[in-house]
Amino acid sequence: MSLKKLDPLLTDKLTQLQQQDLCKGNEKVVTGMQAAADGFGPRYFLEGYGDRAFLRMNSNSYLGLSVHPQVIKAEAAAAEKFGTGPGAVRFISGTYRPHIELEQKLAEFHGRESAMLFSSAYTTMTGVLPQFISADTLVVSDALNHNCIINAIRLSHPAGKEIYAHADMTALDKILEAYKGRVKRVCVVTDGVFSMRGDYAPLDEINACCKRHEGAYEEGIITLVDDSHGVGAFGRAGRGTEEYTKAKADILIATLGKAFGVNGGYVVSSSAAIAYLRETSPFYIYSNPITPAEAAVAGAALDIVTSDEGLQLLEKLRLFSARLRSGLEQLGFETLPGEHPIVPVLIRDSGKTSALAAHLLANNILVTGLNYPVVPQGEQEIRLQVCAEHTGKDLDYLLAKLADFKR
């Protein structure tokens, strides 16, 4: 047995991906961090780039909690007490006190009866959504939903699948009307904040639309929202799309690996729904949980988010996001309105998008360039992400380099 026959086929496939500009290429390796100084935020060193220090504008660590002293101290203390790993899946012997305490905190934070941890937000979605879709269920999905939702639907084998145009409530209404009498249950699934654009699902309007049609379905309509980019970064108190729209999903999924600065994912819902998931979700039952130390760290991060310090960090995010959007508009770049720290620069051309990303890298700025087919043709962009670790001088430097490219 060997891979001698398969390796050439895999190499050919990689070559095809490269020719189609679908390869991500080699990953950049962070080798160290330079502390904030002289009015600038921290800088990052990369393998192969010598002593060049980079401004990072493509991080999901919106509140900078991954390097917060209180968070680091909590991880060290928990690792000293519980060790570095859980040692087993949770139903065998892998459940620790920090897991239970974090789940209680997350449920309270989101105003829910219960919460449940997973190893990542991606596995949360793929481990949760299929458990609520039967052979008599229609699943309805926003056209711009994340890849984890797309793959979770593929795992689900629903009675039907419908895609509505991004945030188009008229289209959603027509779908729910058309399927009356054809299925017993409907699951409407959407991102909260959309990762490529920084805009959000109109959850209040989605709920109102579902409420109008729910009586026609024997098992009702449920809403499921993945707000991984919203929680901890959006809304005055960091409770994401639900807070911003003043509406709640039946099932909410989010991550610990972005604004909370740690690792892992979770779901919050009713006690019955979470109890059902603990007994049925294979990604929970057969996978190790996050480590006890990670759970303790996430709890410490959540304590910061709900404190006065957290409110100040969130306010800074809003102000700096508005400042960056305003600066882009003054330079003549196209962006989208909003309060979220994802600030897209819409270039709408693959060559120009790649050129701008290369220009910023040459000037020691790390950004994410998004080209077709990652985004639809004509929607090519540079995704900028504001973090609480940034300073006014950082944004001024970024805007100056963008102005240089514009000229």
Side-chain angles (χ1 to χ4, degrees):
M1 296 176 63
S2 75
L3 292 172
K4 287 182 179 180
K5 293 182 178 180
L6 186 57
D7 278 347
L9 300 176
L10 301 179
T11 301
D12 288 344
K13 181 62 176 177
L14 285 171
T15 300
Q16 292 173 22
L17 292 173
Q18 290 167 351
Q19 291 171 346
Q20 296 168 357
D21 291 326
L22 298 180
C23 277
K24 296 180 293 297
N26 294 331
E27 299 168 356
K28 291 181 173 62
V29 180
V30 177
T31 59
M33 188 176 75
Q34 178 178 286
D38 301 322
F40 291 100
R43 294 294 189 270
Y44 296 83
F45 298 105
L46 302 179
E47 189 173 276
Y49 288 83
D51 60 356
R52 291 172 61 185
F54 290 85
L55 168 63
R56 190 164 64 167
M57 296 299 305
N58 58 356
S59 171
N60 296 323
S61 184
Y62 297 112
L63 298 179
L65 296 183
S66 61
V67 293
H68 193 288
Q70 184 176 324
V71 173
I72 294 172
K73 183 178 179 180
E75 181 164 36
E80 185 72 26
K81 183 175 182 178
F82 296 107
T84 58
V89 298
R90 286 187 65 172
F91 82 93
I92 294 178
S93 63
T95 297
Y96 288 71
R97 173 51 54 184
H99 294 128
I100 302 301
E101 291 175 349
L102 176 58
E103 287 171 337
Q104 292 170 344
K105 283 185 177 182
L106 289 168
E108 181 180 351
F109 180 71
H110 290 290
R112 298 306 207 284
E113 292 177 348
S114 194
M116 176 176 167
L117 297 172
F118 283 79
S119 58
S120 71
Y122 200 108
T123 57
T124 307
M125 177 57 71
T126 52
V128 168
L129 180 60
Q131 307 312 312
F132 291 95
I133 296 177
S134 70
D136 293 311
T137 301
L138 167 70
V139 62
V140 187
S141 179
D142 188 288
L144 295 188
N145 276 343
H146 190 271
N147 178 269
C148 69
I149 295 176
I150 295 169
N151 279 330
I153 293 172
R154 287 172 178 163
L155 290 171
S156 301
H157 306 294
K161 177 185 75 172
E162 293 289 343
I163 309 296
Y164 61 92
H166 178 51
D168 186 337
M169 295 300 98
T170 300
L172 175 61
D173 186 79
K174 289 179 179 178
I175 292 169
L176 296 180
E177 179 67 33
Y179 272 82
K180 289 178 179 178
R182 297 167 59 184
V183 296
K184 292 182 179 180
R185 183 191 312 171
V186 180
C187 179
V188 178
V189 58
T190 180
D191 281 351
V193 169
F194 290 86
S195 61
M196 301 300 178
R197 300 162 54 90
D199 59 349
Y200 62 92
L203 186 53
D204 51 342
E205 297 177 41
I206 291 172
N207 283 355
C209 183
C210 292
K211 186 175 181 179
R212 286 196 301 271
H213 295 278
E214 185 172 25
Y217 292 94
E218 182 180 334
E219 297 179 358
I221 301 175
I222 61 172
T223 54
L224 195 154
V225 174
D226 181 343
D227 206 21
S228 291
H229 280 277
V231 173
F234 193 45
R236 293 284 167 181
R239 285 168 173 81
T241 304
E242 290 191 331
E243 178 186 357
Y244 197 84
T245 61
K246 298 180 174 62
K248 280 190 174 182
D250 295 307
I251 302 166
L252 177 70
I253 287 170
T255 185
L256 303 170
K258 292 182 170 59
F260 293 128
V262 194
N263 184 41
Y266 64 92
V267 55
V268 296
S269 190
S270 67
S271 295
I274 297 302
Y276 166 74
L277 286 169
R278 289 192 196 276
E279 298 296 335
T280 62
S281 177
F283 291 88
Y284 175 85
I285 297 169
Y286 300 108
S287 293
N288 274 12
I290 59 174
T291 69
E294 287 172 326
V297 170
L302 189 55
D303 288 341
I304 294 171
V305 172
T306 55
S307 70
D308 289 341
E309 180 185 359
L311 293 175
Q312 292 169 7
L313 291 172
L314 286 158
E315 177 66 14
K316 180 181 179 181
L317 272 189
R318 283 190 293 275
L319 292 174
F320 273 42
S321 298
R323 177 172 173 175
L324 179 55
R325 283 184 170 87
S326 176
L328 289 170
E329 290 169 355
Q330 290 175 23
L331 292 175
F333 285 100
E334 181 185 0
T335 187
L336 294 176
E339 293 186 14
H340 193 273
I342 292 176
V343 183
V345 185
L346 296 168
I347 307 299
R348 303 191 185 281
D349 176 272
S350 292
K352 290 180 181 178
T353 299
S354 297
L356 178 51
H359 167 77
L360 293 173
L361 181 66
N363 285 278
N364 300 332
I365 302 172
L366 299 175
V367 299
T368 300
L370 301 170
N371 281 322
Y372 175 82
V374 176
V375 294
Q377 193 67 261
E379 298 290 324
Q380 296 93 327
E381 66 173 80
I382 298 291
R383 182 177 67 177
L384 302 176
Q385 291 168 274
V386 178
C387 296
E389 67 182 26
H390 294 145
T391 69
K393 291 180 74 172
D394 289 332
L395 296 189
D396 290 343
Y397 177 75
L398 168 64
L399 290 167
K401 297 308 173 185
L402 286 168
D404 290 344
F405 180 83
K406 195 76 171 179
R407 286 193 290 268

